[in-house]
Amino acid sequence: METDSDITYYNEISLMMFGFGDSHKPNPETVRLVESIVLKQLRTIVQEALKYSDGKNLKGEELIFLMRHNKQKMRRFVKYLINKHNKLKIQVDFTEINLDVKPKSDLLEFIERIDETEEFTDLTEFDEVKYERQLRADRISQALDEKKYLDFCKARCASFLSKDTTYRSLVKLRLWIDPKKEINFKDDALDVIAYYAYETVAEITDYALLVRMDSKSGTDPLKHLTGSYYTSTMFNGRHKFEEPNPDYSKVYMSQPPISVNEIKEVMRRVCTPQAGRIHFGGKLPETQYLFAL
């Protein structure tokens, strides 16, 4: 029987990193480091959210409330809730989805209540980060053979709730975060946590690829302008976007896995306040380095 200390998301995170742009076979040490970062950040998020609860019972609303300062990430979460609702509706009653009608759920209604300016539910604004991830995935898919393309599709579907039944996945996630079972998590809270974990892996991978791109730019401050900011790290020499017909077959497969040092550099940049950062002389908030928020 699996004990609390045996719980790991190594396989899921390895797949997710591949799906977000890492090598087909991510570095095992890098995956373990990312897993430890994700776990630490989730536990910090939970402790922050408990400040808005009674200290022991945690609901999804308290976790969502932490995201209120980032309208773009809140919008991305709203899209996630809508897509999840529509997927379940299709699976249950096979009816067509009316995209003009927003579904109702407790979490969506809570977001609407705290959305005084209607910024959180305005989904018309362009999401640059989401677009760059999709563009990167498209470029990768064109560089893969049939077998690796199928593996890539599988990796793109990986999440912290993708194995076994949803109930078993939630139990595993709860024990991973709270092995001593000191907190009473509502199901919607664990669903939000799973989403935060997924976004944390995505952002770490995004930033690691940016670190790699910066290291390739050398002393030329304008070199990184060729191609998309997230995507150009995967294109070397004449295989960048200025070519009318870049040879994608030579792009992705030659990229080494994201290294431990690249992840450490990401954390150094995120956790160390930059010179001149405006914080009005006050202490930086505890959540300023949390990727999901």
Side-chain angles (χ1 to χ4, degrees):
M1 182 177 177
E2 185 179 57
T3 63
D4 297 345
S5 60
D6 294 328
I7 294 175
T8 178
Y9 282 91
Y10 176 90
N11 292 334
E12 291 88 343
I13 292 174
S14 182
L15 283 173
M16 281 183 251
M17 290 181 67
F18 172 39
F20 289 129
D22 196 2
S23 166
H24 180 251
K25 292 184 178 180
N27 183 332
E29 292 303 314
T30 303
V31 176
R32 293 187 184 95
L33 176 58
V34 171
E35 182 179 23
S36 67
I37 294 171
V38 172
L39 179 57
K40 182 179 179 180
Q41 295 216 352
L42 290 181
R43 286 176 174 171
T44 301
I45 288 172
V46 166
Q47 291 305 312
E48 285 294 312
L50 284 172
K51 295 177 181 178
Y52 301 98
S53 72
D54 61 6
K56 290 187 177 181
N57 298 288
L58 189 62
K59 298 181 292 186
E61 294 178 359
E62 285 117 15
L63 289 159
I64 293 174
F65 188 68
L66 298 177
M67 220 181 345
R68 67 193 183 282
H69 298 304
N70 193 318
K71 65 178 182 180
Q72 194 60 264
K73 291 187 178 182
M74 187 71 87
R75 288 171 180 168
R76 209 171 297 149
F77 181 68
V78 168
K79 288 182 180 178
Y80 162 78
L81 291 177
I82 292 174
N83 291 336
K84 179 182 177 182
H85 175 274
N86 290 342
K87 181 179 178 181
L88 289 174
K89 187 172 179 60
I90 291 174
Q91 291 175 343
V92 171
D93 54 22
F94 303 101
T95 58
E96 292 186 4
I97 300 298
N98 185 351
L99 298 178
D100 295 326
V101 178
K102 289 184 179 179
K104 290 294 182 181
S105 71
D106 291 341
L107 294 182
L108 280 173
E109 289 180 355
F110 172 74
I111 293 172
E112 290 176 354
R113 289 201 303 273
I114 65 174
D115 187 16
E116 297 179 354
T117 58
E118 298 185 354
E119 290 182 311
F120 299 156
T121 54
D122 178 12
L123 306 183
T124 59
E125 188 173 320
F126 179 65
D127 187 342
E128 183 178 0
V129 172
K130 192 72 172 179
Y131 172 77
E132 294 289 357
R133 289 176 185 170
Q134 292 170 341
L135 180 62
R136 188 166 67 222
D138 178 66
R139 294 295 186 264
I140 292 173
S141 66
Q142 296 184 56
L144 301 176
D145 57 32
E146 183 177 356
K147 182 181 183 303
K148 285 191 171 60
Y149 174 74
L150 293 176
D151 291 340
F152 183 63
C153 290
K154 177 182 176 181
R156 293 275 293 162
C157 295
S159 76
F160 285 80
L161 296 178
S162 60
K163 293 190 69 176
D164 304 315
T165 64
T166 300
Y167 175 75
R168 289 182 61 185
S169 297
L170 292 176
V171 170
K172 177 182 176 182
L173 185 61
R174 174 188 173 179
L175 290 175
W176 191 50
I177 298 170
D178 180 31
K180 295 182 180 180
K181 302 179 181 179
E182 296 174 334
I183 304 168
N184 179 28
F185 291 93
K186 303 298 182 183
D187 285 350
D188 64 352
L190 289 169
D191 194 15
V192 176
I193 290 172
Y195 173 83
Y196 282 165
Y198 178 86
E199 281 295 305
T200 301
V201 176
E203 296 235 348
I204 292 174
T205 307
D206 286 344
Y207 288 136
L209 294 176
L210 290 178
V211 165
R212 177 173 294 179
M213 182 179 66
D214 283 348
S215 68
K216 290 180 180 180
S217 66
T219 58
D220 183 356
L222 301 179
K223 187 172 182 180
H224 72 275
L225 294 180
T226 302
S228 292
Y229 197 43
Y230 283 104
T231 317
S232 59
T233 181
M234 302 171 60
F235 290 76
N236 295 312
R238 64 186 183 86
H239 301 302
K240 292 187 176 183
F241 285 138
E242 73 267 18
E243 290 291 316
N245 295 297
D247 184 359
Y248 295 116
S249 65
K250 297 180 181 179
V251 176
Y252 178 70
M253 302 308 292
S254 62
Q255 295 295 321
I258 293 173
S259 69
V260 169
N261 285 337
E262 286 170 328
I263 300 296
K264 288 181 177 179
E265 176 61 15
V266 168
M267 298 309 296
R268 185 193 70 79
R269 296 189 189 188
V270 170
C271 297
T272 304
Q274 300 299 309
R277 180 170 182 167
I278 299 177
H279 56 91
F280 303 101
K283 183 181 178 182
L284 288 170
E286 295 291 333
T287 58
Q288 62 94 16
Y289 67 94
L290 300 175
F291 295 108
L293 305 180

